[in-house]
Each structure stands twice: as structure tokens, then as C-alpha cells.
Amino acid sequence: MGRKKVQLELMADEFARRMTFNKRKANLLKKVSELSTLCGVDACLIIYDSDNSQPVVWPSLPGARQVLQKFNSFPKKKQRKNMMDQECYAKRFLFKLSKRLEKERRKNDKLLRTEQLLDSCLVAEYYFREVSNLKDTQELGCVLNKNIELISERIKLLHRGEILPNSQ
């Protein structure tokens, strides 16, 4: 069973907020440790807490300094290669979504054209010369097979009594 969606806002109860912070901090430290060990990467973690004057540093202060010095020794271009802020992440995410949307639109347009060709066949307005090549015929076959599968599934559901005869 999945977890319910967590509301991202400041928790009103101070005790609950501290407990959640401590649990999440411990889990984050564990994950960074696992990432470093299992993947063999240099990592460090610095967590500033409003209640403590000293930050939590993993693996240690000298270890974190070493990782940060190594990072700072890289050229600026290499440092920023995989860095991403929220705006950059959102732009990249939107770009991927727009590409996926365009792909689905092309797929839908192709399906619509094929279904229109099929409709014209069914109402006897179709002449064989309209099918320009074997690809059109294959697409018609795919659409017919898909429709047959959908109708067969609907018939099975009707027989089981899971849907009413006139429902979509």
C-alpha cells in the first residue's frame, strides 16, 4: 500500500517537527553513506540546524573539506555540468514533457488518419486506389485488430456483469 502524499509546509507542532527532522536527517546520512560505499563516489553532507550552532558534517569535517577542495579544483564548466537548480530542473522537465506530448500528437494524428481510411472503407466510399501502399493496408489491419480486441474485452466484461450494456 502506498504512502499518502505529504503536504510540504511548516509543521505547526514543534515536537513533531523536531522528530521528523531527526528521522529524515538520520535517513539522509544513511543514504549518503550507502551512496558513497556502494557506488564508490566521494560525497559529503553538511546539514545546518537552527537549534545547533555547529552543522552536522558527514563523513567528518576534514573529509568534507577534502571533497569540497576536490570539487573546487575542477574548472567552473565541469563543476556546473550536472548542477541544477529548481528552475533548470523545471525547464528540463517541461522540455521532456513537450517532446512526449508532440510524439503522442503525431501518434494520434496517424491513428486518426488510419481510422478515417477505415471508416471510408466501411461506408463503401473507399476505392482501392486510395490505399497508396502496403503500409496503409498494414495500418488498417492494426487498427482493425485493436478494435477487435477492445470489442472482445467489452463482451467478456458484459458476460461477467462488470459493465452495463449501454455504458461506455
Side-chain angles (χ1 to χ4, degrees), residues 138-152:
Q138 289 172 337
E139 287 178 14
L140 278 175
C142 289
V143 169
L144 285 172
N145 287 334
K146 182 179 174 187
N147 287 343
I148 289 169
E149 287 175 17
L150 290 172
I151 291 169
S152 298

Side-chain angles (χ1 to χ4, degrees), residues 39-105:
C39 299
V41 295
D42 292 331
C44 70
L45 178 66
I46 303 170
I47 300 175
Y48 286 95
D49 181 4
S50 60
D51 292 343
N52 298 328
S53 60
Q54 293 296 318
V56 176
V57 180
W58 183 90
S60 64
L61 192 55
R65 279 193 180 127
Q66 183 181 6
V67 170
L68 291 172
Q69 284 173 349
K70 183 177 178 182
F71 177 75
N72 286 331
S73 69
F74 293 135
K76 293 290 181 192
K77 187 175 181 179
K78 190 172 181 181
Q79 285 179 14
R80 295 188 179 147
K81 180 181 175 188
N82 294 319
M83 290 176 76
M84 182 178 319
D85 61 2
Q86 228 173 354
E87 181 181 357
C88 182
Y89 175 78
K91 284 179 182 177
R92 194 176 288 184
F93 184 72
L94 285 173
F95 178 76
K96 286 180 183 180
L97 283 179
S98 65
K99 287 289 186 185
R100 192 183 318 163
L101 178 63
E102 185 58 35
K103 183 179 176 182
E104 289 298 320
R105 280 187 179 147

Side-chain angles (χ1 to χ4, degrees), residues 10-11 25 33-35 44 63 81 84 104 111 131 146:
L10 185 64
M11 298 171 76
K25 179 173 70 170
S33 174
E34 289 173 357
L35 180 67
C44 70
K81 180 181 175 188
M84 182 178 319
E104 289 298 320
L111 184 61
V131 178
K146 182 179 174 187

